[in-house]
Amino acid sequence: MTNLCNDYLPQPEVTKNIQVLLYREDSFPPGTLAYLWQKMEEENPTKFLFADGKRFTLNEFIRFFDGEKLLFLPLLVPEGEEPQLEHVVGIIWCDQIVRHRCHAHWVFWKRFWGKGRTVIACRLALSQLFALPLQPPIEILLASAHSENTYAFSLWERMGVHISPDEIPDWFIHEDGTRHAARFGYFLKSDFLASEKMRLSAEKGQASGTG
């Protein structure tokens, strides 16, 4: 698989082996989506992901990602190895693409949680998303999460997502038919570029101070 990441400064030691690839059917092994579906089943995140409460079959999962969606795959690649499917540690995708905005979603396998790695993976995906030659280009990301999903909100805060204080009742429907509230957030391309400029400046300053 070809690494499609934009040029990016080296990350801290703990996260330097993270890559994010834009999924293209002709660039990945056959059965990639089936593999991802199986991992999703093992992680069991569906009650937090899909608002209609539907648990996808394999065919439904494949059809879901066969449409006009942008799918990014974060990988944790051991030193000296080439990216392989088993290195995938989650999925990040965008849908509902309307003019300058889209709805963003992500889920990471539990073994990838912690040490700031999910934030790095999301930022790598955003750097690719905002650089895609779409017309019109994406300027605003929208996100939603189960109101009790504290992990999602923690990630949002670290990413700089603007989180609405209000809850939308009955937005998510679980498999048992119960309805649950959601909270929404948004993220601006201009905010991302500004924060990247600050991050790169800080890293440059640190490198100068230790040189």
Side-chain angles (χ1 to χ4, degrees), residues 127-197:
S127 71
Q128 292 191 60
L129 173 66
F130 289 138
L132 290 175
L134 303 177
Q135 292 299 327
I138 299 297
E139 302 283 350
I140 304 173
L141 294 182
L142 305 176
S144 60
H146 190 294
S147 61
E148 298 176 4
N149 190 348
T150 55
Y151 173 77
F153 300 129
S154 173
L155 177 58
W156 286 11
E157 289 172 353
R158 288 178 288 156
M159 285 293 299
V161 173
H162 301 273
I163 304 175
S164 170
D166 301 319
E167 294 185 356
I168 307 298
D170 300 333
W171 182 265
F172 286 100
I173 307 172
H174 285 189
E175 290 179 288
D176 60 5
T178 58
R179 294 175 176 268
H180 299 266
R183 292 179 67 187
F184 284 77
Y186 68 92
F187 190 74
L188 303 178
K189 178 180 179 179
S190 57
D191 288 346
F192 176 76
L193 295 178
S195 64
E196 281 297 273
K197 184 177 180 180

Side-chain angles (χ1 to χ4, degrees), residues 5-8 72 121-132 192 196:
C5 292
N6 298 327
D7 290 339
Y8 218 75
F72 300 91
C122 284
R123 297 192 75 85
L124 286 168
L126 287 177
S127 71
Q128 292 191 60
L129 173 66
F130 289 138
L132 290 175
F192 176 76
E196 281 297 273

Side-chain angles (χ1 to χ4, degrees), residues 23 25 28-38 58 61-62 85:
Y23 175 77
E25 186 176 0
F28 281 77
T32 292
L33 290 179
Y35 174 82
L36 296 175
W37 174 80
Q38 183 60 49
L58 173 57
F61 184 84
I62 291 173
L85 199 54

Side-chain angles (χ1 to χ4, degrees), residues 10-200:
Q11 302 302 326
E13 187 72 18
V14 71
T15 61
K16 69 177 183 179
N17 296 329
I18 296 173
Q19 299 181 26
V20 173
L21 306 182
L22 175 63
Y23 175 77
R24 293 172 178 167
E25 186 176 0
D26 59 356
S27 300
F28 281 77
T32 292
L33 290 179
Y35 174 82
L36 296 175
W37 174 80
Q38 183 60 49
K39 293 300 295 185
M40 295 278 281
E41 287 289 293
E42 294 171 6
E43 295 285 325
N44 193 29
T46 52
K47 69 177 182 177
F48 290 131
L49 283 180
F50 302 109
D52 61 4
K54 184 178 179 61
R55 193 176 189 87
F56 282 7
T57 65
L58 173 57
N59 287 336
E60 288 170 335
F61 184 84
I62 291 173
R63 285 198 300 270
F64 182 79
F65 285 109
D66 199 30
E68 294 185 0
K69 297 178 176 66
L70 297 170
L71 176 60
F72 300 91
L73 303 183
L75 298 89
L76 188 61
V77 183
E79 189 88 24
E81 294 189 20
E82 293 295 320
Q84 303 293 331
L85 199 54
E86 58 265 27
H87 298 151
V88 173
V89 288
I91 60 175
I92 302 169
W93 77 96
C94 297
D95 58 11
Q96 302 177 42
I97 302 172
V98 181
R99 292 186 62 80
H100 294 286
R101 73 175 187 272
C102 66
H103 204 114
H105 317 261
W106 50 77
V107 61
F108 296 101
W109 313 157
K110 293 181 181 66
R111 69 182 179 88
F112 190 62
W113 292 9
K115 301 181 181 179
R117 293 184 293 200
T118 55
V119 175
I120 296 297
C122 284
R123 297 192 75 85
L124 286 168
L126 287 177
S127 71
Q128 292 191 60
L129 173 66
F130 289 138
L132 290 175
L134 303 177
Q135 292 299 327
I138 299 297
E139 302 283 350
I140 304 173
L141 294 182
L142 305 176
S144 60
H146 190 294
S147 61
E148 298 176 4
N149 190 348
T150 55
Y151 173 77
F153 300 129
S154 173
L155 177 58
W156 286 11
E157 289 172 353
R158 288 178 288 156
M159 285 293 299
V161 173
H162 301 273
I163 304 175
S164 170
D166 301 319
E167 294 185 356
I168 307 298
D170 300 333
W171 182 265
F172 286 100
I173 307 172
H174 285 189
E175 290 179 288
D176 60 5
T178 58
R179 294 175 176 268
H180 299 266
R183 292 179 67 187
F184 284 77
Y186 68 92
F187 190 74
L188 303 178
K189 178 180 179 179
S190 57
D191 288 346
F192 176 76
L193 295 178
S195 64
E196 281 297 273
K197 184 177 180 180
M198 292 176 61
R199 183 184 67 81
L200 297 178

